[in-house]
Amino acid sequence: MKTILVTGGAGFIGTNFVYFMLKKYDDLKIINLDKLTYAGNLENLDPLKGEKRHEFVKGDICDRELVGKLVKGCDAIVNFAAETHVDRSILSAGEFIQTDVQGTFCLLEAAREAGIRRFVQISTDEVYGDAGDNPSSETDPLMPRSPYAASKTGADRLAFSYFTTYDLPVIITRCTNNLGPFQYPEKLIPLFVTNAIDDKQLPVYGSGKNTRDWIFVEDHCDAIDTVLHADDKHNGEVFNIGANKEFSVLEITSFILDYLKKPQSLIKHVEDRLGHVKRHAVTTGKIKDALGWKSKTSFDDAMGRTVQWYLDNESWWRRIKEKQEDYQKFMKEYYKNR
Ligand code: NAD
Ligand code: TYD
């Protein structure tokens, strides 16, 4: 049986990845290390109680001793753990630098000591900054525009340096915006879906014309699995992951309102995000040509399944929105003048 250490596996993409991998492979064990910050939710993993192939460990990726112990006996590491919300990084960046950079450093050190066979660093397309006229390719300069993006860039390049310096078998992925089940309701889609269900306003930053490429989370998980199993000749490489489906915030908002049969009057244009990136989009030719991966889910299907998941799992998001102190504090502070 192969064993992988998944960090941040109680968050949005991590949770989806754990389910994806356990369903696909019978002979796989996952050690899931998560600090359970405001964004981590152990309830996501309830159906795995009693599942011997999944071991949950509550802990910090910055805890070198703990990480060292867990990495021993693992074949690979997939590092999802991070502070991830751009808006929170604008209010306060310290935790981003601590977890995203220092935490990745700690994992890389442990991986080096243990002689791990594959280290997948989950980076992001945010490292490129604004895509401008052309989708960002893997060789484009890195121009992160938020403290979140800059912290992820630090981790991305630190991981690369462990390949060039110590020959650690690192591969770095840079994916576009994900949508799907289990996303914390401070991010665009779950925030707007759950607000719309409750007939609350949808705060569109600035014009709402900013675009992102949106990929269904399951397709992202499939791409990470592909990278995890890629030939050693790809060590040290970067792979963009995306769906090549660009939509503006206003288009996403209209889809949500139409699906839920709610009026456009719920849209409220508010003060723009500082440093707001106009366009995130990536080229995906490299991963298609080198590893044979491409995204499969259509945008309508991905959006429909996502909105429906929030309709079917009200207690999941209501517990956060109505009871979690951290959520309420952030919303009050960040949206107070919006
Ligand atoms: P998320 O915020 O939903 O989950 C992050 C998880 O990491 C949480 O479970 C949290 O408890 C855990 N965590 C935070 N700090 C930790 C620490 N110090 N030690 C251990 N665990 C810790 O994030 P997500 O959207 O699932 O993103 C996962 C990864 O994917 C991140 O690295 C992010 O940068 C990257 N990414 C996300 C997207 C996206 O659209 N969501 C796109 C591209 C890349
Ligand atoms: P978000 O989900 O935070 O992802 P990211 O900033 O990492 O792309 O935001 C997606 C887009 O939605 C981004 O252009 C900012 C915009 N947005 C709003 O207009 N209003 C909101 O309340 C939020 C959370 C996001």
Side-chain angles (χ1 to χ4, degrees):
M1 184 180 281
K2 286 226 162 95
T3 304
I4 56 174
L5 177 68
V6 170
T7 71
F12 165 43
I13 305 173
T15 294
N16 281 283
F17 185 71
V18 167
Y19 284 117
F20 179 92
M21 293 298 279
L22 290 177
K23 192 171 162 200
K24 182 162 175 188
Y25 299 102
D26 287 335
D27 61 341
L28 179 76
K29 176 164 184 200
I30 293 179
I31 299 174
N32 184 349
L33 171 64
D34 196 297
K35 190 179 171 184
L36 297 180
T37 66
Y38 78 92
N41 189 344
L42 207 45
E43 191 192 317
N44 297 355
L45 305 165
D46 274 352
L48 294 177
K49 274 185 188 149
E51 170 56 78
K52 289 193 178 60
R53 295 175 304 137
H54 177 255
E55 181 186 337
F56 182 79
V57 180
K58 182 176 187 300
D60 193 331
I61 59 165
C62 301
D63 180 342
R64 179 65 182 81
E65 206 185 317
L66 173 66
V67 167
K69 255 192 250 160
L70 296 178
V71 166
K72 266 190 207 134
C74 283
D75 301 285
I77 299 177
V78 183
N79 181 27
F80 292 101
E83 287 294 332
T84 61
H85 192 35
V86 172
D87 296 321
R88 284 185 189 249
S89 82
I90 292 168
L91 286 183
S92 170
E95 281 295 314
F96 289 74
I97 292 150
Q98 178 63 17
T99 286
D100 302 11
V101 183
Q102 184 70 27
T104 302
F105 165 61
C106 183
L107 285 168
L108 288 164
E109 279 290 296
R112 182 159 82 96
E113 190 179 270
I116 218 83
R117 297 200 335 242
R118 171 70 27 96
F119 189 113
V120 181
Q121 173 61 16
I122 306 299
S123 189
T124 161
D125 67 345
E126 306 243 0
V127 300
Y128 297 116
D130 218 303
D133 292 338
N134 298 307
S136 309
S137 80
E138 286 87 349
T139 50
D140 278 0
L142 307 185
M143 300 288 278
R145 287 178 61 85
S146 66
Y148 160 64
S151 306
K152 292 293 293 184
T153 306
D156 178 311
R157 291 299 81 196
L158 192 62
F160 177 69
S161 78
Y162 270 62
F163 165 72
T164 52
T165 310
Y166 308 113
D167 224 7
L168 191 72
V170 169
I171 299 186
I172 296 144
T173 62
R174 296 182 185 150
C175 189
T176 56
N177 285 55
N178 286 220
L179 74 158
F182 299 110
Q183 190 171 27
Y184 189 83
E186 67 188 350
K187 304 281 170 68
L188 175 71
I189 292 177
L191 176 67
F192 281 20
V193 172
T194 56
N195 274 11
I197 290 172
D198 284 344
D199 297 306
K200 290 192 179 136
Q201 288 188 313
L202 313 184
V204 169
Y205 301 156
S207 68
K209 289 186 177 150
N210 307 55
T211 62
R212 303 284 185 265
D213 169 45
W214 291 94
I215 181 172
F216 194 48
V217 65
E218 211 172 281
D219 287 338
H220 185 193
C221 293
D222 185 42
I224 296 166
D225 177 35
T226 303
V227 165
L228 189 61
H229 291 97
D231 191 275
D232 277 345
K233 71 180 181 195
H234 296 294
N235 287 337
E237 291 190 27
V238 173
F239 288 98
N240 283 344
I241 300 169
N244 313 111
K245 294 183 176 80
E246 280 181 69
F247 294 94
S248 69
V249 171
L250 283 178
E251 285 169 322
I252 296 284
T253 307
S254 286
F255 186 105
I256 293 169
L257 291 173
D258 289 350
Y259 192 96
L260 295 172
K261 300 190 171 52
K262 299 284 182 177
Q264 295 281 325
S265 57
L266 285 182
I267 294 175
K268 183 185 176 205
H269 286 271
V270 299
E271 188 191 326
D272 211 348
R273 174 188 273 175
L274 298 177
H276 201 169
V277 174
K278 284 199 180 66
R279 182 187 189 203
H280 278 309
V282 298
T283 59
T284 52
K286 181 176 175 189
I287 191 165
K288 184 164 177 282
D289 294 347
L291 306 180
W293 178 88
K294 65 177 171 43
S295 92
K296 296 187 189 83
T297 314
S298 74
F299 176 74
D300 280 8
D301 189 18
M303 272 301 277
R305 283 163 75 179
T306 302
V307 180
Q308 196 56 47
W309 189 86
Y310 286 93
L311 280 168
D312 295 341
N313 290 274
E314 268 202 31
S315 61
W316 185 89
W317 55 265
R318 285 204 187 280
R319 194 191 53 72
I320 297 170
K321 286 185 89 163
E322 292 165 14
K323 302 217 167 71
Q324 196 192 59
E325 228 174 273
D326 194 295
Y327 180 88
Q328 291 171 346
K329 188 167 162 265
F330 168 74
M331 285 292 154
K332 212 169 159 188
E333 190 175 351
Y334 193 73
Y335 289 91
K336 70 175 172 235
N337 296 320
R338 286 189 162 87

